[in-house]
Amino acid sequence: MTEPVARRTSPRVLLVHTVTFRQARSLVPVALALVAGRGLSGGTTTVVALVLGITALSMLWASVAWWRTSYADGDTAVVLTRGLLSRSVRTVPNDRIRGVEVEAPPVHRLFGLVRVRIDAAAGTVVGKDEELLIDGVRRAEGDRLRAHLLSRRAVVATEAAGRHSAPEPVEEQLPPFRNRWLLYSPLVGSYLVLPLAGVGALFRLLDDLPDRYAPHLGPDIGPPDLSDRWLVAAVLAGGLLLLALGAILGSAIVNWRFRLVLRGGSLIAERGLLTRRHTDLEVDRIRGCAVSEGLGMRLVGAARATALVTGLGDAARRGQLLPLGPRGRAWLLTDLLVPSPGSLQHHPPAARRRRLGRALTPGGVLLVVGAVLTVRSGWWPALVIGAVVTALGVPLGLARYAALGHATGPRSFAVRSGWLVREHTVLQRRAVVGWQVRQTVVQRRAGLATVQACVGAGRGGYAAVDMAAAEAADFARAASGPWAGALAG
Amino acid sequence: MSDQPPVREPVWSLSRSAIGLWVTQGVAGTVAYGLLLAAFVLLVPVDAGPVVQPLRWAGGAFVAVYAVLAIAVRPRLRYRVHRWEVTGEVVYTLTGWLTRTWTLVPISRVQTVDVTRGVLQQVFGLATVAVLTASSQGTVRIPHLDLGVARHVADHISRRAEQTRDEAT
């Protein structure tokens, strides 16, 4: 065992932090207040002086921070020391490291630097506190650090298991991601929101701009002529096209050249157009996989696959196996990691009645209100809307019922539900840390029950909605272990 | 057939003192609502508007109904529907009246066991045992056990958890 060497981050990080005003960012509001208070009476000179001053201050700040920060990756733990006046020393034992992420934001990449994020989640604690960030080391040093930390972790694990020779890390390329699958993004809700958020931010910026700089429309351009149907249709089509392009662009920035590699017990994902991210998952911590298909994605047979990993912060993003792609590929990856429990069992007809009842209720209420209004005051539109909503409730209820299902296999089990986003979750038997059986009054009369497996990964619980009440105990035992036999008594 | 519960009921009831605690809570709630009503009657004159008189009646009726439900009905009902059980392998509870929830947690997956005592619980010599697992959904809470029973249960669970812990979370 050698004494760990305290290392500094690369001095080039000074430039990165100066350019991005990382430390001085907190001064910007002060500067703005100063400007607002005194006005920009001095004109250009004041602005230049202010910019120079902030830059100099930022550089000074970054230098001090760099000078006082050091890290050491020893055989047993990583230690990060920092802080000017109040020194903070954070130590993470190597066997507690859950994952190492190497990311390269654009400015860092310009200077050949990376950021290393070390995850050490502890039990149920959620938050950024369980994270250790080494900002601004050279790419080669980042890779060395990652390899070192992960190999130490593997050695610790094998020593704990009583073996002495660490297995050779073999790299196995999993089926590749194709960038053309990004074209599916306009059909995914979360990617569609991206351009909308961008437009919102732009509008807020325009609002904040002083009137002097805001573009003015000439007085001869009045409000648009809404009577021209073609114009309206063209504007709508153009807007939709822009939205679709924005969604593709947004998902390309995050998911460009997504790559998944299996190396020595770790699953490594690489992604990103501007910021290249390198995420590391321990295969041993994977408890299951979820394949989700949104409404739009189902139309074209697309899906996304996510690994459910214990003790992983920000698991929804980091656990991704396939951000977007054909359904077959999502299942291929899922089956590689979690054995398939076989095809799903449908839920009893009573479940279909319940789904239909729930889907028809809003329409029914509207129908009654509409009928009352029609009889009393002759106002019929509510009645028509009610009829339409009720009619739409039938396919909705049937579709929601069709999504329900569960299956148990020798080493895993699966549940599926959801209509807007249909989620098919396959979990290992060992993933279950508890069972929760729920029964409402309506379910009791229909002989149904909702059985939820409590899992220390992902959302925390995955439910088989409206399964036959009589099968609940058997399902729980088949999906977890003999201990669940306590349910049957 | 359809009224058969989907899974077995846990065998044990909570401490009988829990009824006393719930009755006390009901009385406290009734007094609070009564004071609110009294303040309304005293501070808002009848001629302030046409709705004041009906509101007084409605308020009075509400307090009366609440008193009956919270003092006479709810404590006994709760006592009947809350059930629990701890074996060498599992912790098992049942709660809820309209919507019933059974929770089963294997002791080998238990991460922490908490025993907490509120002010009222101390008066009645009761304690709550909370059993936490790695899942945010898989938390079992057994409210209002006799203090001695609660301590014994917590001790038993943590000892068994030590013996049977497995690596998976």
Side-chain angles (χ1 to χ4, degrees):
Chain A
M1 294 236 170
T2 49
E3 187 64 25
V5 199
R7 294 166 199 264
R8 289 261 164 87
T9 52
S10 163
R12 290 191 223 165
V13 76
L14 287 184
L15 292 174
V16 175
H17 285 174
T18 308
V19 171
T20 55
F21 295 105
R22 185 174 147 71
Q23 282 89 2
R25 229 175 272 164
S26 51
L27 287 180
V28 171
V30 180
L32 280 182
L34 217 68
V35 168
R38 299 192 34 191
L40 282 174
S41 50
T44 329
T45 337
T46 323
V47 174
V48 169
L50 208 65
V51 167
L52 282 180
I54 290 188
T55 309
L57 211 61
S58 171
M59 192 160 213
L60 185 74
W61 203 322
S63 323
V64 171
W66 173 78
W67 174 54
R68 298 291 283 175
T69 303
S70 67
Y71 66 94
D73 52 315
D75 283 331
T76 51
V78 193
V79 183
L80 179 70
T81 316
R82 65 193 166 141
L84 175 58
L85 296 175
S86 60
R87 299 290 276 168
S88 109
V89 179
R90 174 167 288 170
T91 309
V92 177
N94 280 351
D95 58 342
R96 289 272 305 280
I97 293 174
R98 295 281 196 269
V100 179
E101 200 175 59
V102 177
E103 53 185 35
V107 182
H108 282 66
R109 229 201 279 183
L110 215 59
F111 292 100
L113 298 177
V114 293
R115 208 152 54 185
V116 181
R117 205 182 281 279
I118 300 167
D119 255 314
T124 46
V125 181
V126 184
K128 289 270 172 198
D129 280 358
E130 301 296 340
E131 202 174 72
L132 200 141
L133 185 75
I134 300 175
D135 193 357
V137 291
R138 298 197 185 190
R139 176 166 288 284
E141 166 67 3
D143 287 343
R144 184 201 67 82
L145 204 57
R146 188 170 64 84
H148 177 238
L149 292 177
L150 294 175
S151 71
R152 282 310 306 169
R153 189 182 63 185
V155 169
V156 170
T158 43
E159 275 168 5
R163 280 171 285 162
H164 291 290
S165 57
E168 280 288 300
V170 186
E171 195 158 302
E172 185 188 336
Q173 168 84 44
L174 293 175
F177 177 77
R178 303 204 189 291
N179 281 330
R180 63 162 188 271
W181 292 340
L182 293 171
L183 293 177
Y184 288 134
S185 350
L187 299 169
V188 187
S190 53
Y191 291 129
L192 269 183
V193 177
L194 282 177
L196 286 180
V199 170
L202 199 68
F203 269 108
R204 231 173 307 133
L205 198 71
L206 279 181
D207 247 13
D208 287 345
L209 269 186
D211 280 342
R212 202 142 52 95
Y213 302 112
H216 274 288
L217 301 175
D220 49 324
I221 304 179
D225 182 12
L226 284 179
S227 57
D228 190 345
R229 294 251 170 92
W230 285 110
L231 185 72
V232 173
V235 166
L236 269 181
L240 283 179
L241 197 66
L242 274 181
L243 200 64
L245 285 178
I248 294 176
L249 189 71
S251 96
I253 287 176
V254 185
N255 298 321
W256 187 255
R257 286 207 300 133
F258 184 87
R259 198 166 150 262
L260 202 62
V261 176
L262 202 57
R263 185 198 295 153
S266 290
L267 198 59
I268 298 158
E270 251 187 78
R271 65 198 325 197
L273 185 62
L274 302 177
T275 300
R276 208 65 196 147
R277 270 177 208 283
H278 215 110
T279 314
D280 227 288
L281 300 177
E282 248 180 294
V283 173
D284 202 35
R285 294 200 172 273
I286 293 176
R287 292 288 175 272
C289 289
V291 174
S292 47
E293 302 157 81
L295 189 59
M297 296 163 86
R298 288 207 292 276
L299 288 177
V300 293
R304 60 206 305 185
T306 315
L308 308 172
V309 189
T310 60
L312 184 73
D314 196 6
R317 179 177 61 78
R318 291 193 198 170
Q320 281 200 346
L321 300 173
L322 179 72
L324 259 181
R327 184 186 294 144
R329 181 55 60 84
W331 279 110
L332 191 71
L333 286 166
T334 301
D335 290 343
L336 266 179
L337 293 170
V338 185
S340 165
S343 56
L344 291 180
Q345 264 180 304
H346 287 291
H347 287 188
R352 175 169 25 202
R353 282 195 293 276
R354 178 148 187 259
R355 288 296 123 196
L356 272 176
R358 286 170 67 117
L360 291 176
T361 306
V365 170
L366 263 179
L367 213 55
V368 170
V369 170
V372 169
L373 280 178
T374 310
V375 170
R376 294 194 54 168
S377 58
W379 198 72
W380 52 268
L383 190 68
V384 175
I385 295 173
V388 171
V389 172
T390 311
L392 286 178
V394 176
L396 173 68
L398 290 178
R400 288 186 61 95
Y401 168 72
L404 297 181
H406 67 272
T408 50
R411 286 165 61 202
S412 61
F413 67 101
V415 295
R416 189 176 73 177
S417 66
W419 171 76
L420 206 57
V421 176
R422 188 170 74 186
E423 198 179 45
H424 191 150
T425 314
V426 188
L427 290 157
Q428 297 167 351
R429 283 167 62 116
R430 63 170 181 160
V432 183
V433 299
W435 287 103
Q436 202 166 67
V437 181
R438 259 193 322 260
Q439 200 177 37
T440 62
V441 178
V442 181
Q443 281 180 316
R444 195 180 314 174
R445 291 187 43 198
L448 299 172
T450 294
V451 181
Q452 175 173 264
C454 306
V455 176
R459 245 188 296 122
Y462 293 89
V465 179
D466 281 349
M467 68 186 306
E471 291 172 17
D474 289 338
F475 169 68
R477 181 158 51 184
S480 55
W483 58 267
L487 287 170
Chain B
M1 154 73 207
S2 65
D3 266 18
Q4 187 123 20
V7 289
R8 174 179 74 89
E9 301 216 330
V11 260
W12 302 325
S13 297
L14 303 181
S15 164
R16 279 208 79 87
S17 317
I19 298 181
L21 185 141
W22 285 320
V23 168
T24 315
Q25 279 177 345
V27 170
T30 309
V31 169
Y33 284 127
L35 285 177
L36 268 180
L37 182 67
F40 178 75
V41 169
L42 287 177
L43 296 179
V44 183
V46 186
D47 47 10
V51 288
V52 172
Q53 195 61 37
L55 264 182
R56 281 185 178 184
W57 283 110
F62 170 76
V63 171
V65 170
Y66 179 84
V68 171
L69 284 181
I71 297 171
V73 180
R74 201 172 58 183
R76 269 150 227 293
L77 204 63
R78 273 196 181 161
Y79 179 75
R80 274 186 41 201
V81 299
H82 275 87
R83 302 186 81 80
W84 67 287
E85 189 180 320
V86 175
T87 68
E89 275 194 308
V90 292
V91 186
Y92 188 29
T93 60
L94 165 61
T95 60
W97 176 50
L98 287 175
T99 296
R100 304 210 281 170
T101 307
W102 290 260
T103 312
L104 179 78
V105 165
I107 290 182
S108 58
R109 304 298 173 85
V110 169
Q111 288 193 330
T112 47
V113 187
D114 295 343
V115 178
T116 49
R117 308 186 69 199
V119 179
L120 258 188
Q121 284 184 315
Q122 292 185 31
V123 173
F124 285 90
L126 297 172
T128 297
V129 178
V131 178
L132 279 75
T133 64
S135 159
S136 50
Q137 308 280 321
T139 298
V140 180
R141 219 172 282 277
I142 316 171
H144 308 325
L145 297 180
D146 279 323
L147 182 60
V149 176
R151 286 206 176 125
H152 182 74
V153 164
D155 189 49
H156 165 83
I157 293 175
S158 45
R159 213 152 15 83
R160 282 293 298 171
E162 195 95 345
Q163 290 165 4
T164 59
R165 182 171 323 275
D166 47 22
E167 279 303 304
T169 47

